[in-house]
């Protein structure tokens, strides 16, 4: 009699103990789950953007001669046509282009060459004369025009 009561009490305690443990561990698992989810999501987002912009893309800017908005279209189109170029922006006032490109696919000189092929002088390549002759009259820029890049005229580019 004594024995059976003891055993009964023990069983009840055991059951309560178990369910407390289960609830507790579920709460812990849920808390860990939420925390790690948050952290992983945040880290993943930060890493992807930084890696893709810093490791994969190279930025260059160099002088390109030109006159107007039509020149801008031609110059940027030529630069964007180079495989690996992700963006090109020519500044009509500064006579300068900013280009972002994947340096595993192309290099700065290829971009100079592509722009030169469209008829425009860059700091490192002379514009193709035939293409220059085919440019609209307003785009026939002065070959002595100063290109940006610290405002210095490169005497060897004509
Ligand atoms: Cu023009």
């Amino acid at each position: 009699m004594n024995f059976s009561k003891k055993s009964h009490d023990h069983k009840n305690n055991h059951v309560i103990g178990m369910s407390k443990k289960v609830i507790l561990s579920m709460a812990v698992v849920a808390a860990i789950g939420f925390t790690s989810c948050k952290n992983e999501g945040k880290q993943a987002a930060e890493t992807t953007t930084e890696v893709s912009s810093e490791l994969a893309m190279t930025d260059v800017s160099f002088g390109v001669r030109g006159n107007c908005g039509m020149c801008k279209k031609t110059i940027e189109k030529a630069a964007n046509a180079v495989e690996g170029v992700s963006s090109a922006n020519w500044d009509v006032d500064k006579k300068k282009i900013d280009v972002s490109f994947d340096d595993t696919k192309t290099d700065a000189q290829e971009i100079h060459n592509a722009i030169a092929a469209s008829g425009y002088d860059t700091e490192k390549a002379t514009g193709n004369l035939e293409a220059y002759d085919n440019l609209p009259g307003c785009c026939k820029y002065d070959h002595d025009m100063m290109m940006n890049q610290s405002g210095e005229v490169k005497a060897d580019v004509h």
Side-chain angles (χ1 to χ4, degrees):
M1 178 140 169
N2 224 351
F3 177 78
S4 96
K5 191 170 193 293
K6 229 181 189 175
S7 154
H8 190 71
D9 283 345
H10 180 75
K11 204 180 172 187
N12 275 348
N13 282 342
H14 188 69
V15 168
I16 290 165
M18 276 293 280
S19 48
K20 264 187 190 165
K21 265 186 198 164
V22 168
I23 290 166
L24 193 71
S25 56
M26 277 172 74
V28 168
V29 166
I32 289 171
F34 284 130
T35 321
S36 66
C37 228
K38 243 186 199 170
N39 285 344
E40 275 167 23
K42 205 182 171 192
Q43 277 173 355
E46 279 171 5
T47 317
T48 340
T49 46
E50 278 171 20
V51 165
S52 63
S53 61
E54 282 178 19
L55 289 185
M57 299 318 265
T58 303
D59 297 321
V60 285
S61 53
F62 52 84
V64 179
R65 294 196 171 103
N67 288 341
C68 64
M70 278 172 72
C71 298
K72 180 175 164 69
K73 275 186 189 163
T74 310
I75 293 165
E76 290 175 357
K77 190 180 161 195
N80 278 314
V82 177
E83 202 203 334
V85 170
S86 65
S87 75
N89 185 37
W90 183 73
D91 189 310
V92 66
D93 295 320
K94 293 178 179 171
K95 315 300 178 194
K96 187 184 102 172
I97 193 167
D98 296 318
V99 188
S100 293
F101 64 93
D102 179 344
D103 65 8
T104 64
K105 290 183 179 165
T106 189
D107 57 38
Q109 187 60 50
E110 274 190 63
I111 300 163
H112 280 271
N113 294 346
I115 293 169
S118 75
Y120 289 88
D121 289 342
T122 79
E123 283 172 25
K124 289 183 181 172
T126 305
N128 178 285
L129 286 178
E130 206 178 309
Y132 176 88
D133 285 340
N134 289 326
L135 292 175
C138 66
C139 294
K140 289 196 165 54
Y141 59 89
D142 181 351
H143 284 284
D144 293 323
M145 176 188 284
M146 194 168 81
M147 287 183 262
N148 193 43
Q149 195 79 356
S150 77
E152 200 183 321
V153 186
K154 303 280 195 246
D156 56 339
V157 178
H158 278 289

